[in-house]
Amino acid sequence: MKVGIMSFAHMHAFTYAGLLLAHPDVELTAIWDDDFERGDNAAERFKSTFYADREEFLALDLDAVVICSENSRHRDLVVQAAEAGKHILCEKPIATEIEDAREMIAACKRNGVILQIAFPVRFAPSISRARTIIQSGQLGDILAVKATNHGQMPGGWFVEEPLSGGGAATDHIVHVMDIIRWTLQTEVKDVYAELDTRFYDIDVEDCGTVSLALESGAIATIDPSWSRPKTFPMWGDVTLEFVGTKGTLSVDALKQSSTYFNDQESKVQNLGWGDDMDQGLIDDFVQCVKIKREPSITGEDGLRTLEVVKAAYQSSTAKRTVPLERVHV
Amino acid sequence: MKVAVVGLGTMGKVHADAWAHIEHAELVGVCDLDRVKAETIAESYDATPYQDLSEMLEQSNVDVIDVCLPTYLHKENVALAAQAGKHVVCEKPLGLNVQDAQDIISVCEDHGVQLFVAQVVRFFPEYAQASAKVKSGGIGKPGVVRLTRGGGFPRAWEDWYADEAKSGRLILDSMIHDFDWLRWTFGDVERVMTRRVSRSDEDRPLEYALVTLRMEDGTIAHVEGTWAHATFHTSFELTGDKGMVVHDSAVSAPLSVSLHHNEGDASKNGVAVPESPLNENPYLRELKHFAHCILTGSEPIVTAYDALKAVEISQAALESAKTGQPVVLAKMGGGVR
Ligand SMILES: NC(=O)c1ccc[n+]([C@@H]2O[C@H](COP(=O)([O-])OP(=O)(O)OC[C@H]3O[C@@H](n4cnc5c(N)ncnc54)[C@H](O)[C@@H]3O)[C@@H](O)[C@H]2O)c1
């Protein structure tokens, strides 16, 4: 199977490229990037061919493309790739505007191509095991979820609103929101959020909390803050705690790690040894394209999480709880 | 200084024991509706048992009454003590709502007696240390702070905790500890938003709440309160632009005992029981401090006004739980003082 990568703006492109290169069923035949140097270097590093011209790239006989551009450019690239008949794995968040996400979903449907959104956390074994336990009913009815997806401030285009669509809320609500939806099979009813810029001198929010009522009657909060200190032993965290009528469950997707007291760099570091979730994501996508099945993470999954992000911004500005109005797809 | 405790449930016993260990204090009386409780405890500390507060006020020559009664009984019993000219120590929450708390403060003022409220978290060393660290700039400008407190649903005398009208349940009874600590550390609260779930199933009632607060200094706080967990634990994570302080009671316990097969009780097999011993437990530290304030007239670490403000935050959080919208504190009945 021939796969191409469109843009290395998002650092995950480097991880995905490595995994694609190593995949026995995949040839990473082409790379396109609007940044000539970045694309050319990546092509060299991953033994692929660089195309500066997007039309030329899209005219190749690729089966699928992985899109890792800046968030606000997802729409154009996804629509063009869909029209060129390529199956698509798109980095999260799906888009920066709800209307864009709808267009992307429609374009993929029209052209009969797969659109999968990159929510690798679903492929952490601890997370999928948590889902199995919860769905088995062992914890009774789930009443509440307390989730965090903390990180460090990524800088670069992530803090330029026109390219990223927003800061920590855009970057970090969607992963755990996706896990909540996937696990509880319910949607968000209304949203309250406190967002602010308190850590860095940047133009987008770097911290906050989001508080949700779910259709199932459960409640949830998500902390998407870029609040990890420079001395934190890893990049961030992904944690969820579920409170049920018969028990509680807490899961920490990155906890499988050893602690490394590194005198050479005067740092304490966590050395993760758990399964690589990105590997799970890439394997799943390749398999999906191979047998042409429904993607395990759909465009709609991307859209529903984006709607929560948008409602969080609205709520934070209005200082009130706002109802979530889901658009039709 | 002669002291008597009224209400000998969970807290009353802890307080009686603490008073017995305070040098300048003498535990002379203990009072509970339940005669057996009063007599048993009186015997351990060589105090006189009573079943009725008025009787204790008349017959014992005490200086201080320590009220460890269920919350809905604080108001009338503090009033009795104040009217008898006794200084008062009262368990938290001071009252069921701002009005009650204000009435309690007024009755003590009117009778010229001092009032101390047992917001004990200020005397837990990990909380006191973290508060001082934040105030001295240790985390820089605070960003998001997260606190957790709770365990199982409390079961006590006449199941009074289950009745919101008597206890204010989880938000007033338990989360008030974190609200007071937040206000102590970051200043007043601007607005509060609550999500709460409860189940009152037959033998397994549950309550759980996630409260978001915006402090006047801009700090965002997230407080988890639970009466839906199997074991009691507390934790906090305080982030700022220059650092982060993290505490988890489940991780910091220095001592853990785990026994091999217990004859006749295989269920306890291998269960680790963690402990966090201190030379002086927080309740003893607290009451020692109040005793010192009574004797010297100095200002306590936590004033009755602080206790009132903590009730105000809890009341706002309860209101938000009902409306599903944030509540702005300054807008609540014109705010308190
Ligand atoms: N600071 C803390 O950490 C903490 C912990 C638990 C409770 N508390 C507070 O302490 C107070 C007491 O709670 P508790 O758990 O000990 O309650 P409890 O139900 O265990 O004890 C209450 C006792 O009061 C007695 N009583 C009831 N009415 C009486 C009356 N009119 N006169 C004399 N005795 C009477 C009952 O017989 C019972 O023994 C509450 O305000 C509670 O919120 C604080």
Side-chain angles (χ1 to χ4, degrees):
Chain A
M1 173 190 315
K2 289 180 179 160
V3 180
I5 295 182
M6 302 189 78
S7 178
F8 276 70
H10 198 295
M11 56 273 192
H12 287 168
F14 294 91
T15 316
Y16 300 150
L19 291 164
L20 289 165
L21 191 63
H23 198 294
D25 299 339
V26 172
E27 283 173 75
L28 179 56
T29 46
I31 286 169
W32 168 85
D33 201 316
D34 56 358
D35 180 324
F36 188 100
E37 204 184 320
R38 186 172 62 201
D40 198 40
N41 287 342
E44 192 172 321
R45 178 166 159 198
F46 297 107
K47 305 182 181 64
S48 187
T49 309
F50 175 63
Y51 293 83
D53 186 285
R54 190 153 57 178
E55 279 171 26
E56 198 187 333
F57 172 92
L58 287 172
L60 298 170
D61 63 339
L62 300 168
D63 298 289
V65 295
V66 177
I67 295 175
C68 286
S69 66
E70 299 85 348
N71 300 341
S72 66
R73 295 183 173 150
H74 286 173
R75 186 201 53 188
D76 287 353
L77 297 183
V78 166
V79 170
Q80 286 163 11
E83 277 162 5
K86 316 298 182 208
H87 297 298
I88 299 163
L89 174 63
C90 178
E91 183 53 48
K92 53 79 3 190
I94 183 170
T96 54
E97 296 302 333
I98 288 164
E99 214 25 64
D100 290 357
R102 271 178 92 176
E103 268 183 64
M104 291 156 70
I105 293 167
C108 291
K109 196 167 178 199
R110 217 169 36 239
N111 292 283
V113 300
I114 293 161
L115 173 60
Q116 172 150 345
I117 307 303
F119 286 137
V121 181
R122 287 197 193 189
F123 299 95
S126 56
I127 296 281
S128 54
R129 173 95 180 105
R131 179 177 185 254
T132 305
I133 293 169
I134 287 161
Q135 293 191 345
S136 77
Q138 273 182 68
L139 303 181
D141 298 339
I142 299 301
L143 302 178
V145 192
K146 180 187 66 159
T148 67
N149 183 194
H150 293 126
Q152 285 164 335
M153 202 270 291
W157 62 263
F158 283 87
V159 300
E160 289 174 41
E161 205 266 349
L163 292 173
S164 62
T170 294
D171 197 29
H172 275 183
I173 290 173
V174 294
H175 282 299
V176 281
M177 190 62 240
D178 178 64
I179 299 304
I180 293 170
R181 288 183 67 249
W182 185 54
T183 304
L184 301 185
Q185 303 285 312
T186 184
E187 297 290 354
V188 171
K189 192 166 139 225
D190 61 49
V191 179
Y192 180 79
E194 291 281 354
L195 304 174
D196 205 347
T197 310
R198 300 187 58 78
F199 290 79
Y200 299 93
D201 187 15
I202 52 177
D203 295 333
V204 291
E205 79 287 349
D206 56 22
C207 69
T209 61
V210 183
S211 171
L212 309 168
L214 306 180
E215 298 279 4
S216 68
I219 59 170
T221 58
I222 297 173
D223 184 336
S225 306
W226 288 335
S227 54
R228 295 310 86 176
K230 292 175 197 70
T231 44
F232 199 65
M234 61 208 302
W235 63 263
D237 67 28
V238 179
T239 72
L240 294 112
E241 177 150 0
F242 293 86
V243 178
T245 49
K246 292 187 182 155
T248 57
L249 177 153
S250 65
V251 56
D252 179 338
L254 306 178
K255 198 165 185 177
Q256 288 164 311
S257 66
S258 303
T259 310
Y260 174 33
F261 296 86
N262 180 350
D263 274 5
Q264 290 150 84
E265 294 177 43
S266 297
K267 268 190 200 161
V268 179
Q269 293 159 313
N270 282 8
L271 307 177
W273 46 258
D275 289 330
D276 179 0
M277 14 179 153
D278 292 323
Q279 170 102 53
L281 174 78
I282 293 295
D283 289 353
D284 176 79
F285 176 65
V286 169
Q287 177 68 8
C288 175
V289 171
K290 210 165 138 185
I291 64 171
K292 308 275 175 314
R293 64 158 159 77
E294 271 287 294
S296 46
I297 310 164
T298 65
E300 184 174 352
D301 290 330
L303 168 65
R304 296 299 171 224
T305 58
L306 177 64
E307 286 171 333
V308 177
V309 174
K310 289 293 175 187
Y313 285 122
Q314 231 185 44
S315 163
S316 183
T317 309
K319 299 187 174 68
R320 349 185 355 96
T321 305
V322 299
L324 194 96
E325 277 148 28
R326 276 187 296 289
V327 298
H328 187 69
V329 285
Chain B
M1 193 176 77
K2 292 193 169 70
V3 183
V5 177
V6 56
L8 302 173
T10 310
M11 259 313 106
K13 282 183 208 146
V14 171
H15 279 211
D17 188 69
W19 285 117
H21 287 88
I22 296 173
E23 203 183 340
H24 299 291
E26 188 190 347
L27 182 67
V28 296
V30 290
C31 173
D32 198 287
L33 281 184
D34 181 333
R35 190 167 58 85
V36 179
K37 271 189 200 170
E39 282 173 358
T40 316
I41 293 171
E43 203 175 323
S44 333
Y45 301 109
D46 205 10
T48 311
Y50 297 91
Q51 275 178 268
D52 178 68
L53 176 61
S54 302
E55 204 177 298
M56 181 161 80
L57 289 167
E58 277 164 28
Q59 294 178 12
S60 68
N61 187 22
V62 298
D63 306 298
V64 183
I65 294 290
D66 180 357
V67 178
C68 294
L69 293 165
T71 305
Y72 69 101
L73 299 173
H74 289 179
K75 189 164 122 174
E76 67 178 88
N77 288 283
V78 171
L80 285 178
Q83 281 151 11
K86 313 298 180 191
H87 298 306
V88 175
V89 172
C90 181
E91 255 307 335
K92 51 49 56 185
L94 180 55
L96 282 170
N97 50 50
V98 169
Q99 188 58 55
D100 279 6
Q102 236 154 6
D103 290 349
I104 291 173
I105 292 175
S106 301
V107 77
C108 291
E109 275 170 4
D110 292 349
H111 291 88
V113 301
Q114 296 187 57
L115 171 63
F116 301 90
V117 187
Q119 294 286 168
V120 74
V121 168
R122 296 198 189 198
F123 299 88
F124 273 71
E126 64 274 41
Y127 283 86
Q129 178 193 58
S131 184
K133 194 74 181 164
V134 170
K135 286 183 219 162
S136 68
I139 63 167
K141 175 181 174 184
V144 178
V145 302
R146 301 172 62 82
L147 299 114
T148 286
R149 171 175 311 276
F153 199 98
R155 282 297 168 78
W157 175 73
E158 289 192 344
D159 210 11
W160 70 273
Y161 280 108
D163 185 347
E164 185 158 321
K166 292 180 172 167
S167 68
R169 289 185 52 131
L170 175 69
I171 291 172
L172 178 69
D173 190 76
S174 178
M175 298 178 84
I176 194 169
H177 286 299
D178 298 295
F179 298 153
D180 175 59
W181 183 87
L182 283 169
R183 193 180 150 273
W184 186 38
T185 308
F186 302 98
D188 280 325
V189 173
E190 169 91 34
R191 58 180 171 271
V192 45
M193 168 71 194
T194 304
R195 300 285 191 184
R196 176 177 63 172
V197 278
S198 319
R199 281 289 168 100
S200 41
D201 300 355
E202 334 74 66
D203 51 3
R204 209 186 340 231
L206 296 175
E207 184 147 290
Y208 183 85
L210 296 166
V211 175
T212 304
L213 302 100
R214 182 60 91 116
M215 311 303 288
E216 282 181 0
D217 76 350
T219 302
I220 297 167
H222 177 276
V223 183
E224 175 191 29
T226 176
W227 282 351
H229 276 70
T231 48
F232 184 79
H233 69 292
T234 62
S235 68
F236 54 73
E237 179 192 277
L238 317 172
T239 68
D241 68 352
K242 300 221 162 44
M244 168 164 96
V245 179
V246 176
H247 164 74
D248 186 340
S249 64
V251 175
S252 68
L255 174 65
S256 171
V257 180
S258 157
L259 298 175
H260 289 302
H261 186 71
N262 254 346
E263 255 175 84
D265 192 1
S267 69
K268 287 220 176 84
N269 214 1
V271 175
V273 182
E275 278 184 51
S276 189
L278 294 165
N279 285 335
E280 290 190 345
N281 71 51
Y283 306 92
L284 177 54
R285 291 175 193 218
E286 166 190 75
L287 295 177
K288 242 184 168 173
H289 172 69
F290 290 161
H292 174 80
C293 292
I294 292 169
L295 291 170
T296 61
S298 53
E299 169 107 343
I301 288 169
V302 53
T303 65
Y305 175 68
D306 293 329
L308 167 71
K309 293 297 280 186
V311 170
E312 186 187 33
I313 301 166
S314 306
Q315 196 181 327
L318 276 164
E319 189 184 321
S320 170
K322 284 171 192 142
T323 62
Q325 288 291 343
V327 171
V328 176
L329 264 83
K331 290 191 185 147
M332 275 182 59
V336 176
R337 262 194 280 187

